[in-house]
Amino acid sequence: MHRQDQSLSLLADKLGLWLPLDGDHRAAIVSLPHVVRTLRAGEFIVREEDRPRHSCLLLSGFAARHKLAGNGARQILALHIASDLIDMHQAMPTRADHNIQALSTVTLAYVPLDAIRDLGARQPAVGEAMWFETLVEAATLREWMLNIGRRDARTRTAHLLCEMGVRLHAAGLGERDQFTLPFTQEQMADALALTNVHVSRMLALLAAEGLIERHNRHLTILDFARLATVGDFDPRYLHLERYGEVAG
């Protein structure tokens, strides 16, 4: 296992968003034992019914958390981007009740759960920051539930585009108003609980309204404030105030 490389500096930076961490805290995070692996698009990071022994830091690429209905239909529950510590709640010894699958080629740092629990006990500030990470993940899931449960197709599509712009910009993976979509249209449909055809229509409608331009998976938001209004989007649930992220 790696102990001296800087793969986990991304994790130290991410946890430092939630609470101030000093040099000793960062050194303890970066020195966590881990193994770096690369998976291809479509490969599973976690399968339902697994008993994970590691939590994974996503170093590059994109992944999705999802569940399958009895009829085989997939509901995407979360999108993971670089710097996300996937499945912190698996620090408790339980079976996975969902899948996490690579949407693109991904590079991951696998950190043993025992090491994470030990670090949280030895460094309470780090443990609190990791706990905050799970709270942000839960807040985002609640917003996604509201999106697919109580917003119409146009609104939920606009909301997801706004979230992607803000999150990718905060992670240094694109501009808030111009970025490459991290999922296919079919995967986007699974995240929005819509059909592929319906998503295509909503994207075309937002383009006709002068809110977005799209060339394949490259998206330009022409008026973020208007799109945020259409999407009922308020970024506070992402807790990125330190980036100065606002809807306007």
Side-chain angles (χ1 to χ4, degrees):
M1 289 193 179
H2 300 267
R3 286 183 178 273
Q4 299 303 320
D5 67 42
Q6 294 298 304
S7 298
L8 297 188
S9 62
L10 194 64
L11 176 58
D13 293 341
K14 180 67 175 293
L15 295 180
L17 289 177
W18 314 134
L19 287 174
L21 299 177
D22 62 25
D24 289 340
H25 296 140
R26 290 183 60 89
I29 294 168
V30 172
S31 65
L32 280 167
H34 60 281
V35 173
V36 176
R37 294 177 180 152
T38 298
L39 301 180
R40 297 185 301 271
E43 290 193 83
F44 283 84
I45 301 167
V46 175
R47 284 185 181 270
E48 191 168 354
E49 295 300 322
D50 282 353
R51 287 188 179 273
R53 293 180 296 174
H54 300 81
S55 188
C56 300
L57 173 68
L58 190 56
L59 300 173
S60 66
F62 301 97
R65 183 194 314 274
H66 67 81
K67 286 183 71 72
L68 297 177
N71 61 4
R74 177 178 63 177
Q75 179 64 50
I76 291 180
L77 304 167
L79 177 75
H80 291 292
I81 66 177
S83 79
D84 282 355
L85 187 61
I86 297 174
D87 263 11
M88 266 299 301
H89 59 267
Q90 292 295 354
M92 302 304 293
T94 59
R95 290 186 185 273
D97 59 3
H98 59 276
N99 304 290
I100 302 179
Q101 193 170 13
L103 296 181
S104 66
T105 298
V106 296
T107 304
L108 303 130
Y110 289 75
V111 184
L113 294 176
D114 287 344
I116 291 176
R117 287 193 292 265
D118 179 66
L119 176 59
R122 288 188 293 106
Q123 300 274 7
V126 177
E128 188 174 350
M130 290 190 291
W131 179 55
F132 201 98
E133 172 84 358
T134 66
L135 296 181
V136 174
E137 185 176 301
T140 304
L141 176 60
R142 287 191 290 271
E143 190 70 21
W144 277 44
M145 291 177 64
L146 176 63
N147 206 37
I148 65 174
R150 291 301 181 188
R151 292 176 177 136
D152 62 30
R154 172 173 171 266
T155 303
R156 69 179 78 167
T157 303
H159 187 281
L160 183 59
L161 295 178
C162 287
E163 180 185 301
M164 289 300 96
V166 168
R167 289 181 62 196
L168 292 171
H169 175 63
L173 300 173
E175 297 300 323
R176 189 190 67 169
D177 304 296
Q178 193 169 26
F179 54 90
T180 299
L181 286 169
F183 33 54
T184 66
Q185 191 167 288
E186 180 182 4
Q187 291 161 347
M188 188 174 182
D190 287 346
L192 294 173
L194 299 171
T195 65
N196 195 358
V197 171
H198 208 163
V199 169
S200 181
R201 289 173 180 165
M202 292 305 100
L203 291 171
L205 177 60
L206 294 173
E209 292 177 304
L211 296 172
I212 65 171
E213 285 183 352
R214 186 167 63 104
H215 300 285
N216 297 319
R217 288 168 69 170
H218 184 76
L219 186 88
T220 300
I221 298 176
L222 301 173
D223 189 329
F224 192 94
R226 282 182 58 211
L227 188 67
T229 298
V230 169
D232 190 25
F233 177 73
D234 182 335
R236 285 181 295 179
Y237 68 94
L238 297 172
H239 296 275
L240 292 172
E241 293 86 354
R242 289 179 61 176
Y243 278 104
E245 296 290 356
V246 294

